[in-house]
Amino acid sequence: MEFGLVLQTDPPASNVVGLMRRAERNGFTYGWTFDSAVLWQEPFVIHSRILEHTEHLKVGPMVTNPGTRTWEVTASTFATLNSMYGNRTVCGIGRGDSAMRVAGRKPNTLARVGEAMRVIRDLAEGREADVDGTPLRLPWVSDGELPVWMAAYGPKALAMAGEQADGFILQLADVYLTEYMVKAVRAAAEKAGRDPASVTVCVAAPAYVTADDSPEAIAHAREECRWFGGMVGNHVADLVSRYGEHSSVVPEELTAYIKQRQGYDYAHHGRTGNPDTAFVPDEIVDRFCLIGPPQAHIAKLRALRDLGVDQFAVYDMHDAKESTIDAYGKDIIPALR
């Protein structure tokens, strides 16, 4: 199992670069950032600095979307970074939540995501692609390589990830839901004539390492990670509006907890203490996140690995960023390798 670090690109950017360097020293192999141009600083500029100041770390957005940049610009950005630093980027992509809604737009359709994945990958790897009816190619690309990993929850998105993506990003660490969704992705890949094992599976969720499992320590960790249930709840709310509360194609284990959800202010998106996530129960925090002493993390990660998870990406947005990175490097990553 490999490990990634996920950060928001809050200023100063030097802090983001420093944490990514710390992660690489501790055995992390991927560095991910949010991509929402209004809420945070432009990630690709910071990716360039991360790549310059690390040796092997692969970087990418978790996740970009097809609506905030034209596809040839996105492809050219990835290809430029790869040309400068040696094919060390990954394109995480999805429909777009905060990036689109903050700007007053709706998330992209799945059809648009699927088309964008093909175009961005082809252009970044030097092949010709059709962009809005015009055939384009980046003539300066040589030996380009850009894996495209798709974030998904719903049945149609999971199928698309299996059919088209190089990797599948699942933004929660619930063992039951991971098994359910990985099976759906692999079944779609096999049906499309692909090797199911060729689709990399990345689970991403907050991790908070405590010194012990005392009630006080666990309660504090839960409060630091509760925001994540609200963020996932945005996507779940979309699924409920599309498929209904008791759909046979979306598991109730994913949807039931948002019944008390009142709304969501993106000004607090991904932030500890987000007032719009008070509805998230402790059970969801425990299921979706990894909290507790190192052995609790190791046990859950082994269960996820046995389900076919290739990478665990740590959302490191809380009051223990450095100590979490260090604890993973000292105790957790060695146990999973």
mmCIF file of all heavy atoms in Angstrom, residues 165-167 189 194-200:
data_model
loop_
_atom_site.group_PDB
_atom_site.id
_atom_site.type_symbol
_atom_site.label_atom_id
_atom_site.label_comp_id
_atom_site.label_asym_id
_atom_site.label_seq_id
_atom_site.Cartn_x
_atom_site.Cartn_y
_atom_site.Cartn_z
ATOM 1 N N ALA A 165 -11.189 5.236 -16.414
ATOM 2 C CA ALA A 165 -10.140 5.883 -15.630
ATOM 3 C C ALA A 165 -8.970 4.938 -15.361
ATOM 4 O O ALA A 165 -9.121 3.718 -15.334
ATOM 5 C CB ALA A 165 -10.710 6.389 -14.308
ATOM 6 N N ASP A 166 -7.822 5.537 -15.123
ATOM 7 C CA ASP A 166 -6.645 4.768 -14.715
ATOM 8 C C ASP A 166 -6.677 4.473 -13.219
ATOM 9 O O ASP A 166 -6.003 3.555 -12.749
ATOM 10 C CB ASP A 166 -5.367 5.546 -15.046
ATOM 11 C CG ASP A 166 -5.245 5.853 -16.528
ATOM 12 O OD1 ASP A 166 -5.211 4.895 -17.328
ATOM 13 O OD2 ASP A 166 -5.212 7.044 -16.899
ATOM 14 N N GLY A 167 -7.430 5.284 -12.479
ATOM 15 C CA GLY A 167 -7.546 5.085 -11.048
ATOM 16 C C GLY A 167 -8.902 5.541 -10.559
ATOM 17 O O GLY A 167 -9.599 6.321 -11.213
ATOM 18 N N ALA A 189 -15.057 -2.382 -15.083
ATOM 19 C CA ALA A 189 -13.820 -2.524 -15.854
ATOM 20 C C ALA A 189 -13.812 -3.847 -16.618
ATOM 21 O O ALA A 189 -13.481 -3.896 -17.811
ATOM 22 C CB ALA A 189 -12.611 -2.443 -14.924
ATOM 23 N N ARG A 194 -11.528 -4.533 -19.770
ATOM 24 C CA ARG A 194 -10.272 -4.110 -19.144
ATOM 25 C C ARG A 194 -9.891 -5.082 -18.033
ATOM 26 O O ARG A 194 -10.737 -5.799 -17.494
ATOM 27 C CB ARG A 194 -10.417 -2.709 -18.542
ATOM 28 C CG ARG A 194 -10.893 -1.647 -19.511
ATOM 29 C CD ARG A 194 -11.039 -0.315 -18.800
ATOM 30 N NE ARG A 194 -9.746 0.237 -18.426
ATOM 31 C CZ ARG A 194 -9.575 1.244 -17.570
ATOM 32 N NH1 ARG A 194 -10.633 1.778 -16.962
ATOM 33 N NH2 ARG A 194 -8.374 1.700 -17.298
ATOM 34 N N ASP A 195 -8.628 -5.081 -17.672
ATOM 35 C CA ASP A 195 -8.171 -5.832 -16.512
ATOM 36 C C ASP A 195 -8.596 -5.061 -15.266
ATOM 37 O O ASP A 195 -8.126 -3.941 -15.039
ATOM 38 C CB ASP A 195 -6.660 -5.988 -16.558
ATOM 39 C CG ASP A 195 -6.102 -6.705 -15.324
ATOM 40 O OD1 ASP A 195 -6.906 -7.148 -14.467
ATOM 41 O OD2 ASP A 195 -4.873 -6.799 -15.213
ATOM 42 N N PRO A 196 -9.489 -5.595 -14.437
ATOM 43 C CA PRO A 196 -9.947 -4.847 -13.257
ATOM 44 C C PRO A 196 -8.808 -4.413 -12.352
ATOM 45 O O PRO A 196 -8.872 -3.346 -11.718
ATOM 46 C CB PRO A 196 -10.873 -5.837 -12.548
ATOM 47 C CG PRO A 196 -11.316 -6.777 -13.614
ATOM 48 C CD PRO A 196 -10.155 -6.895 -14.562
ATOM 49 N N ALA A 197 -7.752 -5.214 -12.290
ATOM 50 C CA ALA A 197 -6.623 -4.887 -11.424
ATOM 51 C C ALA A 197 -5.809 -3.707 -11.946
ATOM 52 O O ALA A 197 -4.969 -3.160 -11.226
ATOM 53 C CB ALA A 197 -5.722 -6.106 -11.252
ATOM 54 N N SER A 198 -6.055 -3.315 -13.204
ATOM 55 C CA SER A 198 -5.301 -2.200 -13.769
ATOM 56 C C SER A 198 -5.804 -0.851 -13.276
ATOM 57 O O SER A 198 -5.145 0.175 -13.488
ATOM 58 C CB SER A 198 -5.370 -2.232 -15.298
ATOM 59 O OG SER A 198 -6.688 -1.934 -15.751
ATOM 60 N N VAL A 199 -6.973 -0.827 -12.634
ATOM 61 C CA VAL A 199 -7.524 0.418 -12.105
ATOM 62 C C VAL A 199 -7.016 0.597 -10.673
ATOM 63 O O VAL A 199 -7.390 -0.152 -9.767
ATOM 64 C CB VAL A 199 -9.065 0.407 -12.122
ATOM 65 C CG1 VAL A 199 -9.608 1.742 -11.615
ATOM 66 C CG2 VAL A 199 -9.585 0.120 -13.532
ATOM 67 N N THR A 200 -6.161 1.574 -10.468
ATOM 68 C CA THR A 200 -5.627 1.857 -9.139
ATOM 69 C C THR A 200 -6.748 2.364 -8.227
ATOM 70 O O THR A 200 -7.563 3.183 -8.636
ATOM 71 C CB THR A 200 -4.518 2.915 -9.215
ATOM 72 O OG1 THR A 200 -3.479 2.448 -10.074
ATOM 73 C CG2 THR A 200 -3.936 3.214 -7.846
#
